[in-house]
Amino acid sequence: MSLKTSSENSSFLKGLFREYYFKDSNSLVTPSMIEKREFGYMSFDSIMVRHLSFRNKRELIARLVQESPSDVYCSNGYYKFPTNSVQSKEWEGADLIFDIDLKDLNMPCSSEHSFYVCDQCGACNVSFLNACTVCLGRKISRTTIPCRKCLISLKKETQRLIEFLHGDLGIADGSIEIFFSGNAGYHIHVPDSEFKTLDSRARSDLVDYICGNGIMNESIGVRKSKNGFYIKFPKSGMVFGWRRRVASEFGINQSSISKLKRIVESSGGYGQFKEDLSTKAKLIGVRIDPHVTTDIHRIFRMPGTINGKSSLLKVKSTNLETFNPLDSACVLDDRQVYIRSKVNLKLYLHENYFRIKNSIERLPAYAAAYMICKGLADFIK
Amino acid sequence: MNSIGLAIKLGPTDLAKYPFLEEASEYIRETRFAIEELDRPEMDHILRRSVDILETEISAGKVYTNLDKYEIEILSFLVTLIMIKSIDLEPVTKKHSLLEAMRTEKFLTEDLFKEKSLQKKKLLLHKIFQELFEIDIHFDLDLTIFRLSVPDYLMRASKMNEQEWKLINRSVHSGYVYIDTDEAVRLIRSELSNLIYDRIKTMKIPVVPERVKICAEELRKKFSIYCTYRKHHIVSDYPPCIKHAIEMMNTGENLPHSARVMLATYMLTIGKNTDEIVTMFQNSPDYNEKVTRYQIEHLAGNKGSRIKYSVPSCKRLLSEDLCFATVDCENILNPIQFGRKKANTQ
């Protein structure tokens, strides 16, 4: 949890999270080869604990109930010695993982449901300020409540990624696991596949493929010459992968030499076309967080654990089309508690709509926890 | 590719071109050739050929392209390895391994292009790609396009510097990458080079024949001048990742692309000029001044995209296995902060 929380807030959330790990430990999705993974967690005091290892799910649950952390992480990598320092863990492989985050989608509606919370005193504003109006603190965090449009866009982006993984990379649908991150995104896992031994550099190339980075004119047949350019389509054709995507975008095929020539000329020649092609490719590409996929030593939010930024669960989606994260990921208790909200807000959670006012509110614990984790409310005993 | 159905065998000409294959070792065993025989005067032509190969490769920096009878080729391959082992100069071992791989690349590309028999082409692919390197590679319908799995491709192509090797510039479909003959062969250059290097390193020769020793000693004297590495001073204030890269360079190691980018961007950021940085890369086995200069100028933002590249972050270096952090690295996010942090505390 990044925003500053009072000890009352922490103690309320800690109690709720502990209860969840105690009662609903079956929701925890432990990874394959659990004994080879590195685990870590973030406490409610913002202390990161890493290099942990568990022999089985029972051991892990016992630790979670005991510590009741804000966030729980597990490595995508498998190691011979998971508790050693990174240099001496002896890496054996890593699951392929992808992160689609709302912040990377640059949604136009973002400002309508974003708030700015002072890290120092917790005061909240609806518009961005350089300094807090209450305590003059300069560390301001942005928090967002994803709206319906945001959640739909996230799904669409995830679906586009799945098309790349399935159609281009040949990864079977059954080998792709889709999780709602618990906050504002989706995590896509491809566990224990033939991609597992790829190093960071190879994964970086894969990221560029998915994002549409580094496409060359030559790969679609536009070649540089002394006098400008000429067209010669590649021998391996234009029907697969990015060549197919670009061909379809420009309405060309292997025999459209003169059409492509006209397109390049109207672009302004080889150099300008290169820029246009690069821009187009980035629009066609999927907006994933490159660092997540290329980092083979990352500890990543563990499926079935609570996200301290929202109090929602990182939960698996078996049917993305019908999946509603705000229902499926909302797993905390529904007993009534009091909070002091800092904002006016309409909130949908767990099949219920809440019209929250900037005052003291009585809410189910799951909605109260959501508001507190977002930094938009304080718990009242 | 399944070996079942490959009814034909490799012929003598194949063994001449690919003397590192198991079948060539079998030939040596079958002829009961003993290493001491190299001291016999009738073996002089083999010794002379091995010397010639090494002179072409090490002194001239060229691939030895002459192809002789298979008996001569197989023996020359073996004797050259023994000579290199006796010369015992690391740069010679590395350079020979690389140029021998490039020689194979030439023959294999020609064979895959010109060979009429599909069975024979399949056999070559099976012997070299699958048996040696466990790469499952297939012909496409028109026999000039190959397909291999995306992970097999990425593992190799991501180590190439040229942008054309990026996956996005390839034809990719249903888990396969489609490539031309010469590209398929180029992909395994580094593995072929490592294979030959390992053969030399693991070779055990109880007694080196006197005639081989004499040739090796002469070549050793001759090649020593090419093997004096320009030692680059390792400034004590360099961060450990940079020190490690320079140390590797000083011993003629072939630094991976990401390590070269790290080293060059770091040196540019601390104010070294292009000439100074170019000389740092002179010890690379694949050093080419023109290419190195262009790449450094590209990173500096003076060529190509005109984007000036920053030094990769510590996080990125860690994920690329280029981080060799010590206690002095605590609380830095980028290698460039290492020097500054030290200066601030002094």
Side-chain angles (χ1 to χ4, degrees), chain B residues 161 249 260 263-264 268 274-300 303:
Chain B
N161 298 336
M249 278 287 182
R260 292 175 194 218
L263 188 59
L268 284 166
T274 306
D275 287 337
E276 285 174 289
I277 304 170
V278 168
T279 59
M280 296 190 87
F281 289 91
Q282 273 178 353
N283 296 338
S284 288
D286 59 351
Y287 174 72
N288 175 321
E289 194 198 325
K290 207 174 146 196
V291 174
T292 308
R293 186 172 293 281
Y294 178 84
Q295 286 173 338
I296 292 165
E297 287 176 348
H298 179 82
L299 290 170
K303 288 269 164 74

Side-chain angles (χ1 to χ4, degrees), chain A residues 86-87 166-170 194-195 197-206 208-209 211-216 219 235-237 239-243 274 281 291 294-298, chain B residues 113 142 144-145 149-155 157-159 163-176 178-181 256-258 315-316 318-321 323-325:
Chain A
V86 174
Q87 280 82 8
H166 183 61
D168 293 40
L169 305 184
E194 54 179 333
F195 290 83
T197 51
L198 292 186
D199 64 12
S200 183
R201 237 175 307 157
R203 287 172 201 240
S204 170
D205 196 356
L206 199 57
D208 283 340
Y209 185 84
C211 295
N213 296 331
I215 195 160
M216 293 167 75
S219 82
K235 218 159 76 176
S236 47
V239 290
F240 294 149
W242 270 95
R243 292 177 187 174
K274 192 178 167 189
H291 304 296
T294 53
D295 189 351
I296 54 172
H297 298 290
R298 178 168 285 254
Chain B
F113 261 126
D142 76 348
T144 58
I145 300 291
S149 78
V150 173
D152 272 346
Y153 176 84
L154 283 174
M155 251 176 242
S158 61
K159 290 172 181 65
Q163 207 182 354
E164 66 190 72
W165 288 100
K166 279 181 84 69
L167 189 63
I168 195 170
N169 293 312
R170 297 281 146 188
S171 200
V172 182
H173 181 61
S174 284
Y176 289 102
Y178 293 78
I179 52 177
D180 296 349
T181 311
H257 176 64
S258 47
K315 203 174 163 189
R316 180 154 189 107
L318 180 67
S319 72
E320 290 179 336
D321 286 331
C323 170
F324 297 87

